[in-house]
Structure formats: structure tokens, C-alpha cells
Amino acid sequence: MLTNHDAGGVMYDDTRIHWTVAAQLIVELRRCTVVDLETEYARYAARADRVP
């Protein structure tokens, strides 16, 4: 059996690999605002029509 890397890595045959991959997929968002995309697109389209 292969051993872990010195840097704290997890080998592919380690049973913890699924948790390691999942943890890397988690993204933390800060200072974000939830918006209605239809409303935002309507505002964008209205402005685009006025731009020469």
C-alpha cells in the first residue's frame, strides 16, 4: 500500500480521497448579492438599446 505524501496529501487508493476531493469543490462566497437574472437582463437590454 502507498503511503501519504509528506505535505499532508492523500493518495488515490486512500479511502479518504472522496472527502478530499469534495472538500476542494466547496467554494465560499463573501460579499455577494442574490439577484433576479431576468430583472438584471432587462436592465442590461434597456441600457444596450440606448448606447450608440
Side-chain angles (χ1 to χ4, degrees):
M1 178 174 169
L2 299 173
T3 60
N4 291 345
H5 298 304
D6 291 338
V10 177
M11 300 299 289
Y12 285 111
D13 64 345
D14 192 316
T15 58
R16 298 174 295 170
I17 192 66
H18 301 290
W19 287 107
T20 303
V21 172
Q24 291 175 351
L25 293 175
I26 295 173
V27 176
E28 182 177 340
L29 301 175
R30 294 183 182 189
R31 294 184 291 180
C32 296
T33 303
V34 176
V35 298
D36 178 37
L37 292 181
E38 290 181 12
T39 303
E40 292 299 318
Y41 180 75
R43 288 180 187 166
Y44 165 78
R47 275 194 317 239
D49 288 340
R50 291 192 304 248
V51 176

